[in-house]
Amino acid sequence: MAAVDRSLVANLAMFAGLSPAEQDELLREARSVRYPKGTAVFNQGTEAERFFVLLHGHLRVEKTTPQGQQMVVRYVSAGELFGVAQAMNLKSYPATAVAAVDSIALSWPSSSWHRLIVTFPTLAVSALQTVGSRLQDTQARVIEISNEQVEQRVAHALLRLAKQAGRKVDAGVEIDFPISRQDVAEMTGTTLHTVSRILSAWEQQGLVEGGRQRIVLRDPHKLHILAEGNEADQVRGSAP
Amino acid sequence: MAAVDRSLVANLAMFAGLSPAEQDELLREARSVRYPKGTAVFNQGTEAERFFVLLHGHLRVEKTTPQGQQMVVRYVSAGELFGVAQAMNLKSYPATAVAAVDSIALSWPSSSWHRLIVTFPTLAVSALQTVGSRLQDTQARVIEISNEQVEQRVAHALLRLAKQAGRKVDAGVEIDFPISRQDVAEMTGTTLHTVSRILSAWEQQGLVEGGRQRIVLRDPHKLHILAEGNEADQVRGSAP
DNA sequence: GCTGCAATTTGCGCTCCGACAAAGAGCCCT
DNA sequence: AGGGCTCTTTGTCGGAGCGCAAATTGCAGC
C-alpha cells in the first residue's frame, strides 16, 4: 500500500472543487490497491466495508441471481466512484466487481462516509450524480430490453462500450478490454449464440470485426442507425 | 399555497434526525400543492425546477421513448422524495409523474438544493438512499425482464404493488389505486393482452380478483411461488 | 335509460430467439 | 508439437408471447 500522490487524483470529478489541502486530507485515509486482470475488487453479498474510485483500468460489474443467472450490470472506467453500497444504505455489495484488465483503485473505509460528506459536501454531490446517472442508464436498459429486438440491443451495447472505452485503431474503434460474446449477451439479456450470430452477420457486412474476446466497430454510424431501429430494415435490405 | 405544519412531516425519513428548529427552517421554503387524480406533477423533458416529497397519495412515474413507447417506471408512495433531477445533474425531469389518486406534495426550488445539503447533510443522505434504492429496484427489473417469463414478471409486479400500496380487504390485499392491464403491461415489458390473459387465468384459479382498473391479490402466497419460478409448473399442474 | 367510449377479454397466426447439439478455432501449458 | 480447455460458430426445432382483429363489458355523461 503506497502513499497516494495528489497529482493522481486532481482531475477526478470527486476531487474537483477541493483545495489542495482538502484533497490531501481526503487522501489521508485512502488506500491504493492494484487488481490484476480477472481478480475481484469486491464480491456480491460481502459486507460493504469500503468505497472506491477507479484510478486506472476497467471493471466489469456483474450480478448473480438466486437462480444462478448472471448479468453484466455495467463497466466502470477510470475516474469513476464505485462500491458506494453503504452510502445507499446497503449492508453488503449488491454485485461483484472484477478487473477486466489490470486496474488500480483508491478505497476508503465505508465507516468514514458520513463524516466525510459533512466535511466535504462535494463528495455527496459527486456520489449522487454518479448513482443518479447509473439509475438513468439502468432505466434505459429496462426500456431497451422491453421494447427492442436483440439486434438493436446489441448495437446499443456496443456503441455504449465504444463511447466509454473505445480506442481508435486503423479499422475503426476497438473496445479497449477483452469482451466475450457471453459478456455482450449478459449485458443485453440474450444468449451468447444469438450474439455470435449477430456479430457474424455484421462481420460479413463489414460493420464489425474482431475475434475471440475482441470487438472492433468498423462502422459506428451504421450501428447507430441499427440501434435506433426503423431504418434497420433498409440496412438489412442492402445486404446480399 | 398553505404554510406547512411541522407535524405533517415529522415522521418522514427526510426530516428524521433534524431538530424542530431545523425542520421549521427546511419547511420555510417548502410549498404544498394538491394534485387531483390524473394531473401531472411534472412532465418528462421540462426543466427540473423543483424537487418534491409526497405527503399523501400515490404517483405513477412514466417514461415515453423517442419512438413513442411508454413504460411505467415506478409508483411513488407517501413519504418518498422524488423529482430530484437537478441533484442528479439533470437539467430536465427524465420522466412524467402523474397522480394515480388525489395527492399532496411538498416542493422546494431545485436552486436551493446545494445550499440545503450543506446546511442539512441528512438531506443528501436521504436522497442518496432513495436514489440508490431505486437503482437496485431498477436493476432487479432488468434482471426480471431478461430472465423471467411474463407470468413471473406479472406476479412480481403485483406483489411489489401489494407491498407498497396494498390495503387489506375481505378477499385479500387490494392495490390501493386504480391500475389497468395496460399499466401492469408497461411495468413488466409486455402487452395489455398478455396481462389480461394471465389475470383471467389467475381469476379462474382464485389467485386474484378484480375488474376494471382494480386488482385484489387473493392468494399472495401462491403468487409468490409463481414469481419465484421453478415450482410454477406444480401450481399449474393442480389447476383443472 | 341510452349512448359512446375506453378498458377488458378472447381467438389466431406468425416470428423471434432460446435451447440443445455439434463442430471449429484459438490459446495456454507441458 | 500436442493436448486440453474455453470461446465461437452454426444447424435445427419448438414455444412464448406479440400483434392484429373482433367481441364483450363497465362506466360516465346526458
Side-chain angles (χ1 to χ4, degrees):
Chain A
M1 192 200 80
V4 184
D5 189 321
R6 192 173 74 234
S7 65
L8 285 180
V9 302
N11 58 341
L12 299 187
M14 183 176 140
F15 288 82
L18 299 183
S19 67
E22 285 175 324
Q23 288 174 0
D24 281 341
E25 188 177 348
L26 190 50
L27 287 171
R28 197 162 295 134
E29 289 181 65
R31 180 194 298 170
S32 169
V33 193
R34 288 172 178 276
Y35 298 99
K37 175 182 165 182
T39 59
V41 178
F42 52 76
N43 286 285
Q44 178 175 347
T46 58
E47 192 183 337
E49 293 182 334
R50 302 189 77 84
F51 67 92
F52 307 80
V53 168
L54 192 63
L55 287 186
H56 176 79
H58 295 279
L59 305 181
R60 186 174 64 250
V61 182
E62 56 201 19
K63 216 169 154 67
T64 304
T65 69
Q67 289 81 19
Q69 281 121 332
Q70 190 148 312
M71 293 210 69
V72 171
V73 173
R74 77 175 56 85
Y75 283 87
V76 174
S77 297
E80 293 188 49
L81 188 59
F82 67 99
V84 284
Q86 270 216 3
M88 303 189 302
N89 216 27
L90 298 169
K91 298 272 188 313
S92 52
Y93 294 113
T96 297
V98 181
V101 292
D102 292 343
S103 304
I104 301 171
L106 290 187
S107 72
W108 289 260
S110 295
S111 52
S112 307
W113 176 258
H114 287 284
R115 174 169 50 82
L116 287 175
I117 62 170
V118 172
T119 311
F120 307 103
T122 55
L123 180 56
V125 169
S126 189
L128 217 107
Q129 287 172 14
T130 297
V131 175
S133 181
R134 292 199 180 130
L135 176 59
Q136 302 311 309
D137 288 344
T138 306
Q139 187 57 57
R141 292 302 79 64
V142 170
I143 288 171
E144 277 171 23
I145 297 180
S146 299
N147 295 310
E148 295 180 0
Q149 295 184 343
V150 176
E151 206 170 59
Q152 280 176 283
R153 302 199 313 260
V154 172
H156 269 130
L158 295 191
L159 290 167
R160 279 197 307 271
L161 288 171
K163 185 177 177 189
Q164 179 178 358
R167 177 170 54 89
K168 283 268 174 90
V169 294
D170 282 351
V173 181
E174 180 166 354
I175 297 170
D176 199 24
F177 50 78
I179 178 153
S180 69
R181 271 58 170 167
Q182 181 67 30
D183 292 333
V184 176
E186 288 174 14
M187 290 174 75
T188 53
T190 184
T191 64
L192 87 90
H193 313 98
T194 301
V195 171
S196 184
R197 282 179 229 277
I198 289 166
L199 291 187
S200 289
W202 287 353
E203 273 195 72
Q204 307 242 339
Q205 296 166 43
L207 300 191
V208 298
E209 84 176 33
R212 176 171 288 225
Q213 305 209 352
R214 178 171 167 269
I215 300 175
V216 178
L217 280 62
R218 296 194 54 179
D219 197 331
H221 178 63
K222 275 194 187 151
L223 288 174
H224 184 74
I225 290 167
L226 263 184
E228 295 307 318
N230 273 343
E231 315 209 32
D233 290 316
Q234 279 183 22
V235 175
R236 280 205 205 105
S238 58
Chain B
M1 191 201 82
V4 184
D5 187 319
R6 192 172 75 235
S7 64
L8 286 181
V9 302
N11 57 342
L12 299 188
M14 182 175 141
F15 288 81
L18 300 183
S19 68
E22 284 175 325
Q23 289 174 1
D24 282 341
E25 187 177 348
L26 191 49
L27 288 170
R28 195 162 299 133
E29 288 181 66
R31 180 194 298 171
S32 169
V33 193
R34 291 174 174 273
Y35 299 98
K37 174 183 170 184
T39 58
V41 179
F42 52 75
N43 286 285
Q44 178 176 345
T46 57
E47 192 183 337
E49 293 182 335
R50 303 187 78 85
F51 67 93
F52 306 80
V53 168
L54 190 65
L55 287 185
H56 177 76
H58 297 278
L59 305 182
R60 185 175 64 251
V61 181
E62 57 200 19
K63 216 171 156 64
T64 303
T65 70
Q67 289 81 21
Q69 282 120 335
Q70 189 149 313
M71 294 211 67
V72 171
V73 172
R74 76 175 58 84
Y75 283 87
V76 173
S77 297
E80 292 186 48
L81 187 62
F82 68 100
V84 285
Q86 269 216 5
M88 303 190 301
N89 217 25
L90 297 170
K91 297 271 187 311
S92 52
Y93 294 114
T96 296
V98 181
V101 292
D102 292 344
S103 305
I104 302 172
L106 291 188
S107 72
W108 287 262
S110 295
S111 53
S112 306
W113 176 259
H114 286 285
R115 175 168 50 80
L116 288 173
I117 62 169
V118 173
T119 311
F120 307 104
T122 56
L123 179 55
V125 171
S126 188
L128 221 121
Q129 286 173 17
T130 296
V131 175
S133 182
R134 294 201 178 128
L135 175 60
Q136 301 312 310
D137 290 344
T138 307
Q139 187 55 57
R141 294 298 82 64
V142 170
I143 289 171
E144 278 171 25
I145 298 183
S146 298
N147 294 311
E148 296 180 1
Q149 294 184 340
V150 176
E151 204 170 60
Q152 281 177 281
R153 304 200 311 260
V154 171
H156 268 130
L158 295 191
L159 289 168
R160 281 196 307 271
L161 287 171
K163 184 177 178 188
Q164 180 177 359
R167 177 169 55 89
K168 283 268 175 90
V169 296
D170 283 350
V173 182
E174 179 167 353
I175 296 170
D176 199 23
F177 50 80
I179 178 151
S180 69
R181 272 58 174 168
Q182 181 68 29
D183 292 333
V184 176
E186 288 174 14
M187 289 175 76
T188 53
T190 182
T191 64
L192 87 89
H193 313 97
T194 302
V195 172
S196 184
R197 280 178 231 277
I198 289 165
L199 290 185
S200 290
W202 286 354
E203 275 196 70
Q204 307 242 340
Q205 295 168 44
L207 301 189
V208 299
E209 85 177 29
R212 181 172 288 229
Q213 304 208 357
R214 179 169 164 268
I215 301 176
V216 178
L217 282 63
R218 295 193 55 180
D219 196 334
H221 179 64
K222 275 194 184 147
L223 288 174
H224 183 75
I225 290 167
L226 263 184
E228 296 307 318
N230 273 343
E231 314 209 32
D233 291 317
Q234 278 184 23
V235 176
R236 281 207 204 104
S238 61

